Amino acid sequence: MGSPSLLKRDDGKLASLATTIALSFGAGVFFATHLLRLRDRERLRRACSRTQKHLIKGQRAALGVDLTSCIPILKGKSKQKVVVLGAGAFGTAMAYAACQGGNEVVMFMRDAEQCAVINSEHRNPKYLAEFSLHVDGVSDIRGICTLEELKDELRAPGVIIIHALPCQLTPPWFRENKDIIPRDALICVTSKGLYLPTQQLMGHAILDALDRAEQPLAFLSGPSFAAEIMKGDPTTLVVASDELFQAVRIQRIMSNFRTLRVFTSDDPVGLQLGGALKNPLAVGAGMISGLGRGTNTLSAFVTRASDELRQLCIAMGGNPRTIDGLGGMGDLMLTCFSAQSRNQRCGQRLIKGEKVEDIQKNTTVEGIATADVAILYADMCGLELPIFRCVHALIHKRISPKQALVDLMGRPNRHEIIQY
C-alpha cells in the first residue's frame, strides 16, 4: 500500500481534474446555449421579416425597427430566366405568376399573330384576353414563336422550363425537339394527365421522349383555375420533385407572398396520380349534378372517391398523404364542385344522353380517356375501386345510372376507415 501522503496527493490531482472537467463542461453548455439563442434570434428575425413585409412604413416604425431590408426572397434576389412552353390559358397564368415573382419570362407559341399581340399589347388575344400581362416594376413577358428563338432563350444558364402543353402533345414535342433542351434545365410540368399511347405518368413519358434519365423534373399541381390566378384570387399550389431542392427552385420563382403560395413535396408519383386521376372522378361528379342529385350525394362521392385514389397511390408507390393535400383532395374538390371544370361539364352532358365523340369535337376532356387507364392501373394493382369502375362503365354506356346506384349503394356494410 502507498503512504498516506501519496494517497492525499493523488486525491488532490483527481479533485483538480474533476474541477477542470466540470468547468469545461459548464463552459461547453454555456456556449451551446448561446449558439442556440443566436439561432432562435435569427429565426425570430426572419419571422419578423416575413410579417413586416405586409406592413406599411408607419406600422413598421411603430414596431421600433424596419426589417424590410432583411427579406431575401423579394428584395435583391437575382432574376431567373423562365421559358414557358405553351400559350394557352394555364400557360398564360403560369407566365404571369412567374413574372410577378420578378423573373424574366418568355412564352413560346406557334401562332405568330398571337405572339405579336402579346409583345405589342401585353395580353394574350386567344386566352384570357381580358387580363393584362404587364407587371409593374418587372420586364414585360416576351412572346417567341420560332424554334430558333426558343433555342437562343434556352441557352441562358440555369434556365427553368415551365411546360404547359396539352398532355397528349407533350412527349412527341419533346421527342422532336430534345436536341435544344439543355440536359441540366429544370422542366416543371403543369399538365395534369397521363400519356395514353403508353399508359404512362407524364414524367416517365417525358424522360422516354428525351431519351435521358437524368433530366431534372418537377411537377406543379393543386386547385387552380387559370382565370382566378390572373384575377389575383389567393391560390395555393404544390410542386414535387425527387430532388427536393428542384421543387424549392420552383417554389421561389412562383410564390409572390400576396396571391400565390407554393408548397413543396418529394412525392412526384402521388402528385401526378392525384392530378391525372381526379379527371374521371370529376366526370362522375358532373353525372351526379346532371341527374339532379344534391350535395349529400356529391359530398359522399368525393369523399369515397378520394379513398380509392389513395389506395391506387399507395399501390403505385406514392405517398397517401399527398392525396390528403392540395394535389389530391384540393384538386379533386375544385374540379368536382365547379362548373368551370371541363370534366364536370362533360359528365353533365354525358348523363343527359350526348355522345363522347360529340362532346370532344371542340374540346379535350382528359377524364374520358384517363378513365380507361385508371381501370388498367386498378387491374394491374389488384384493386377493386368500385367508384372508378362505375364511372368508367357509365362513360362507355355499359350500365345505366340506376344500375350504378344499385352497384354502389348495395355494397356490403363495412367499417369506414381501413388501414392499407
PDB file of all heavy atoms in Angstrom, residues 33-50:
ATOM      1  N   THR A  33     -25.631  26.889 -25.349  1.00  0.00           N
ATOM      2  CA  THR A  33     -26.857  27.644 -25.097  1.00  0.00           C
ATOM      3  C   THR A  33     -26.834  28.978 -25.830  1.00  0.00           C
ATOM      4  O   THR A  33     -27.836  29.420 -26.404  1.00  0.00           O
ATOM      5  CB  THR A  33     -27.026  27.881 -23.583  1.00  0.00           C
ATOM      6  OG1 THR A  33     -27.014  26.628 -22.911  1.00  0.00           O
ATOM      7  CG2 THR A  33     -28.332  28.610 -23.288  1.00  0.00           C
ATOM      8  N   HIS A  34     -25.643  29.621 -25.803  1.00  0.00           N
ATOM      9  CA  HIS A  34     -25.505  30.902 -26.503  1.00  0.00           C
ATOM     10  C   HIS A  34     -25.759  30.742 -28.002  1.00  0.00           C
ATOM     11  O   HIS A  34     -26.467  31.557 -28.621  1.00  0.00           O
ATOM     12  CB  HIS A  34     -24.103  31.460 -26.261  1.00  0.00           C
ATOM     13  CG  HIS A  34     -23.846  32.769 -26.955  1.00  0.00           C
ATOM     14  ND1 HIS A  34     -24.519  33.936 -26.628  1.00  0.00           N
ATOM     15  CD2 HIS A  34     -22.995  33.087 -27.968  1.00  0.00           C
ATOM     16  CE1 HIS A  34     -24.094  34.910 -27.408  1.00  0.00           C
ATOM     17  NE2 HIS A  34     -23.163  34.422 -28.225  1.00  0.00           N
ATOM     18  N   LEU A  35     -25.203  29.667 -28.589  1.00  0.00           N
ATOM     19  CA  LEU A  35     -25.413  29.425 -30.022  1.00  0.00           C
ATOM     20  C   LEU A  35     -26.882  29.149 -30.333  1.00  0.00           C
ATOM     21  O   LEU A  35     -27.411  29.599 -31.346  1.00  0.00           O
ATOM     22  CB  LEU A  35     -24.539  28.249 -30.480  1.00  0.00           C
ATOM     23  CG  LEU A  35     -23.033  28.508 -30.524  1.00  0.00           C
ATOM     24  CD1 LEU A  35     -22.292  27.215 -30.848  1.00  0.00           C
ATOM     25  CD2 LEU A  35     -22.706  29.578 -31.553  1.00  0.00           C
ATOM     26  N   LEU A  36     -27.532  28.380 -29.460  1.00  0.00           N
ATOM     27  CA  LEU A  36     -28.951  28.108 -29.662  1.00  0.00           C
ATOM     28  C   LEU A  36     -29.769  29.386 -29.592  1.00  0.00           C
ATOM     29  O   LEU A  36     -30.721  29.580 -30.358  1.00  0.00           O
ATOM     30  CB  LEU A  36     -29.449  27.096 -28.631  1.00  0.00           C
ATOM     31  CG  LEU A  36     -28.974  25.657 -28.819  1.00  0.00           C
ATOM     32  CD1 LEU A  36     -29.384  24.803 -27.625  1.00  0.00           C
ATOM     33  CD2 LEU A  36     -29.555  25.072 -30.106  1.00  0.00           C
ATOM     34  N   ARG A  37     -29.390  30.276 -28.665  1.00  0.00           N
ATOM     35  CA  ARG A  37     -30.105  31.552 -28.564  1.00  0.00           C
ATOM     36  C   ARG A  37     -29.912  32.393 -29.820  1.00  0.00           C
ATOM     37  O   ARG A  37     -30.834  33.044 -30.299  1.00  0.00           O
ATOM     38  CB  ARG A  37     -29.631  32.311 -27.331  1.00  0.00           C
ATOM     39  CG  ARG A  37     -30.183  31.738 -26.018  1.00  0.00           C
ATOM     40  CD  ARG A  37     -29.598  32.458 -24.827  1.00  0.00           C
ATOM     41  NE  ARG A  37     -30.170  31.964 -23.569  1.00  0.00           N
ATOM     42  CZ  ARG A  37     -29.726  32.285 -22.365  1.00  0.00           C
ATOM     43  NH1 ARG A  37     -28.661  33.086 -22.247  1.00  0.00           N
ATOM     44  NH2 ARG A  37     -30.316  31.798 -21.287  1.00  0.00           N
ATOM     45  N   LEU A  38     -28.664  32.383 -30.333  1.00  0.00           N
ATOM     46  CA  LEU A  38     -28.404  33.113 -31.579  1.00  0.00           C
ATOM     47  C   LEU A  38     -29.242  32.544 -32.713  1.00  0.00           C
ATOM     48  O   LEU A  38     -29.793  33.287 -33.533  1.00  0.00           O
ATOM     49  CB  LEU A  38     -26.917  33.039 -31.932  1.00  0.00           C
ATOM     50  CG  LEU A  38     -25.964  33.847 -31.055  1.00  0.00           C
ATOM     51  CD1 LEU A  38     -24.528  33.591 -31.503  1.00  0.00           C
ATOM     52  CD2 LEU A  38     -26.291  35.334 -31.145  1.00  0.00           C
ATOM     53  N   ARG A  39     -29.329  31.188 -32.779  1.00  0.00           N
ATOM     54  CA  ARG A  39     -30.144  30.564 -33.819  1.00  0.00           C
ATOM     55  C   ARG A  39     -31.601  30.969 -33.680  1.00  0.00           C
ATOM     56  O   ARG A  39     -32.267  31.332 -34.654  1.00  0.00           O
ATOM     57  CB  ARG A  39     -30.024  29.045 -33.724  1.00  0.00           C
ATOM     58  CG  ARG A  39     -30.778  28.287 -34.806  1.00  0.00           C
ATOM     59  CD  ARG A  39     -31.055  26.855 -34.392  1.00  0.00           C
ATOM     60  NE  ARG A  39     -31.964  26.820 -33.251  1.00  0.00           N
ATOM     61  CZ  ARG A  39     -32.368  25.695 -32.669  1.00  0.00           C
ATOM     62  NH1 ARG A  39     -31.921  24.532 -33.097  1.00  0.00           N
ATOM     63  NH2 ARG A  39     -33.194  25.733 -31.642  1.00  0.00           N
ATOM     64  N   ASP A  40     -32.120  30.920 -32.444  1.00  0.00           N
ATOM     65  CA  ASP A  40     -33.524  31.284 -32.227  1.00  0.00           C
ATOM     66  C   ASP A  40     -33.764  32.760 -32.537  1.00  0.00           C
ATOM     67  O   ASP A  40     -34.811  33.141 -33.057  1.00  0.00           O
ATOM     68  CB  ASP A  40     -33.929  30.984 -30.781  1.00  0.00           C
ATOM     69  CG  ASP A  40     -33.984  29.485 -30.496  1.00  0.00           C
ATOM     70  OD1 ASP A  40     -34.069  28.720 -31.471  1.00  0.00           O
ATOM     71  OD2 ASP A  40     -33.935  29.095 -29.318  1.00  0.00           O
ATOM     72  N   ARG A  41     -32.746  33.596 -32.205  1.00  0.00           N
ATOM     73  CA  ARG A  41     -32.885  35.025 -32.506  1.00  0.00           C
ATOM     74  C   ARG A  41     -32.946  35.247 -34.016  1.00  0.00           C
ATOM     75  O   ARG A  41     -33.720  36.072 -34.507  1.00  0.00           O
ATOM     76  CB  ARG A  41     -31.701  35.777 -31.902  1.00  0.00           C
ATOM     77  CG  ARG A  41     -31.829  37.297 -31.979  1.00  0.00           C
ATOM     78  CD  ARG A  41     -30.599  37.956 -31.402  1.00  0.00           C
ATOM     79  NE  ARG A  41     -30.369  37.556 -30.010  1.00  0.00           N
ATOM     80  CZ  ARG A  41     -29.258  37.840 -29.347  1.00  0.00           C
ATOM     81  NH1 ARG A  41     -28.283  38.517 -29.934  1.00  0.00           N
ATOM     82  NH2 ARG A  41     -29.105  37.427 -28.100  1.00  0.00           N
ATOM     83  N   GLU A  42     -32.127  34.477 -34.756  1.00  0.00           N
ATOM     84  CA  GLU A  42     -32.153  34.600 -36.218  1.00  0.00           C
ATOM     85  C   GLU A  42     -33.491  34.133 -36.778  1.00  0.00           C
ATOM     86  O   GLU A  42     -34.046  34.750 -37.690  1.00  0.00           O
ATOM     87  CB  GLU A  42     -31.004  33.773 -36.823  1.00  0.00           C
ATOM     88  CG  GLU A  42     -30.977  33.719 -38.349  1.00  0.00           C
ATOM     89  CD  GLU A  42     -30.744  35.070 -38.979  1.00  0.00           C
ATOM     90  OE1 GLU A  42     -30.367  36.015 -38.260  1.00  0.00           O
ATOM     91  OE2 GLU A  42     -30.940  35.188 -40.193  1.00  0.00           O
ATOM     92  N   ARG A  43     -34.029  33.028 -36.207  1.00  0.00           N
ATOM     93  CA  ARG A  43     -35.347  32.563 -36.652  1.00  0.00           C
ATOM     94  C   ARG A  43     -36.408  33.620 -36.395  1.00  0.00           C
ATOM     95  O   ARG A  43     -37.290  33.863 -37.217  1.00  0.00           O
ATOM     96  CB  ARG A  43     -35.720  31.260 -35.940  1.00  0.00           C
ATOM     97  CG  ARG A  43     -34.945  30.051 -36.429  1.00  0.00           C
ATOM     98  CD  ARG A  43     -35.336  28.822 -35.636  1.00  0.00           C
ATOM     99  NE  ARG A  43     -34.688  27.622 -36.162  1.00  0.00           N
ATOM    100  CZ  ARG A  43     -34.778  26.422 -35.597  1.00  0.00           C
ATOM    101  NH1 ARG A  43     -35.483  26.261 -34.495  1.00  0.00           N
ATOM    102  NH2 ARG A  43     -34.159  25.385 -36.131  1.00  0.00           N
ATOM    103  N   LEU A  44     -36.337  34.269 -35.211  1.00  0.00           N
ATOM    104  CA  LEU A  44     -37.296  35.315 -34.884  1.00  0.00           C
ATOM    105  C   LEU A  44     -37.160  36.488 -35.839  1.00  0.00           C
ATOM    106  O   LEU A  44     -38.149  37.065 -36.277  1.00  0.00           O
ATOM    107  CB  LEU A  44     -37.080  35.766 -33.433  1.00  0.00           C
ATOM    108  CG  LEU A  44     -38.000  36.895 -32.928  1.00  0.00           C
ATOM    109  CD1 LEU A  44     -39.455  36.440 -33.002  1.00  0.00           C
ATOM    110  CD2 LEU A  44     -37.633  37.293 -31.507  1.00  0.00           C
ATOM    111  N   ARG A  45     -35.888  36.843 -36.159  1.00  0.00           N
ATOM    112  CA  ARG A  45     -35.685  37.951 -37.096  1.00  0.00           C
ATOM    113  C   ARG A  45     -36.316  37.664 -38.445  1.00  0.00           C
ATOM    114  O   ARG A  45     -36.969  38.507 -39.042  1.00  0.00           O
ATOM    115  CB  ARG A  45     -34.177  38.210 -37.273  1.00  0.00           C
ATOM    116  CG  ARG A  45     -33.870  39.388 -38.178  1.00  0.00           C
ATOM    117  CD  ARG A  45     -32.400  39.451 -38.534  1.00  0.00           C
ATOM    118  NE  ARG A  45     -32.004  38.337 -39.357  1.00  0.00           N
ATOM    119  CZ  ARG A  45     -32.279  38.234 -40.660  1.00  0.00           C
ATOM    120  NH1 ARG A  45     -32.961  39.181 -41.268  1.00  0.00           N
ATOM    121  NH2 ARG A  45     -31.879  37.190 -41.348  1.00  0.00           N
ATOM    122  N   ARG A  46     -36.137  36.406 -38.904  1.00  0.00           N
ATOM    123  CA  ARG A  46     -36.718  36.052 -40.195  1.00  0.00           C
ATOM    124  C   ARG A  46     -38.239  36.054 -40.138  1.00  0.00           C
ATOM    125  O   ARG A  46     -38.912  36.485 -41.066  1.00  0.00           O
ATOM    126  CB  ARG A  46     -36.217  34.672 -40.627  1.00  0.00           C
ATOM    127  CG  ARG A  46     -34.745  34.664 -40.989  1.00  0.00           C
ATOM    128  CD  ARG A  46     -34.293  33.284 -41.407  1.00  0.00           C
ATOM    129  NE  ARG A  46     -32.874  33.265 -41.754  1.00  0.00           N
ATOM    130  CZ  ARG A  46     -32.205  32.184 -42.097  1.00  0.00           C
ATOM    131  NH1 ARG A  46     -32.818  31.014 -42.121  1.00  0.00           N
ATOM    132  NH2 ARG A  46     -30.929  32.255 -42.400  1.00  0.00           N
ATOM    133  N   ALA A  47     -38.777  35.562 -39.025  1.00  0.00           N
ATOM    134  CA  ALA A  47     -40.228  35.584 -38.874  1.00  0.00           C
ATOM    135  C   ALA A  47     -40.747  37.006 -38.880  1.00  0.00           C
ATOM    136  O   ALA A  47     -41.773  37.317 -39.496  1.00  0.00           O
ATOM    137  CB  ALA A  47     -40.633  34.872 -37.582  1.00  0.00           C
ATOM    138  N   CYS A  48     -40.034  37.903 -38.180  1.00  0.00           N
ATOM    139  CA  CYS A  48     -40.435  39.314 -38.180  1.00  0.00           C
ATOM    140  C   CYS A  48     -40.351  39.905 -39.580  1.00  0.00           C
ATOM    141  O   CYS A  48     -41.193  40.702 -39.983  1.00  0.00           O
ATOM    142  CB  CYS A  48     -39.551  40.110 -37.220  1.00  0.00           C
ATOM    143  SG  CYS A  48     -39.852  39.748 -35.478  1.00  0.00           S
ATOM    144  N   SER A  49     -39.326  39.477 -40.332  1.00  0.00           N
ATOM    145  CA  SER A  49     -39.193  39.972 -41.707  1.00  0.00           C
ATOM    146  C   SER A  49     -40.397  39.577 -42.540  1.00  0.00           C
ATOM    147  O   SER A  49     -40.941  40.380 -43.285  1.00  0.00           O
ATOM    148  CB  SER A  49     -37.918  39.413 -42.339  1.00  0.00           C
ATOM    149  OG  SER A  49     -36.783  39.868 -41.662  1.00  0.00           O
ATOM    150  N   ARG A  50     -40.813  38.290 -42.406  1.00  0.00           N
ATOM    151  CA  ARG A  50     -41.967  37.845 -43.186  1.00  0.00           C
ATOM    152  C   ARG A  50     -43.220  38.591 -42.781  1.00  0.00           C
ATOM    153  O   ARG A  50     -44.075  38.882 -43.600  1.00  0.00           O
ATOM    154  CB  ARG A  50     -42.153  36.335 -42.996  1.00  0.00           C
ATOM    155  CG  ARG A  50     -41.096  35.488 -43.643  1.00  0.00           C
ATOM    156  CD  ARG A  50     -41.517  34.043 -43.721  1.00  0.00           C
ATOM    157  NE  ARG A  50     -41.662  33.446 -42.407  1.00  0.00           N
ATOM    158  CZ  ARG A  50     -40.679  32.838 -41.755  1.00  0.00           C
ATOM    159  NH1 ARG A  50     -39.481  32.768 -42.300  1.00  0.00           N
ATOM    160  NH2 ARG A  50     -40.886  32.298 -40.568  1.00  0.00           N
TER     161      ARG A  50
END
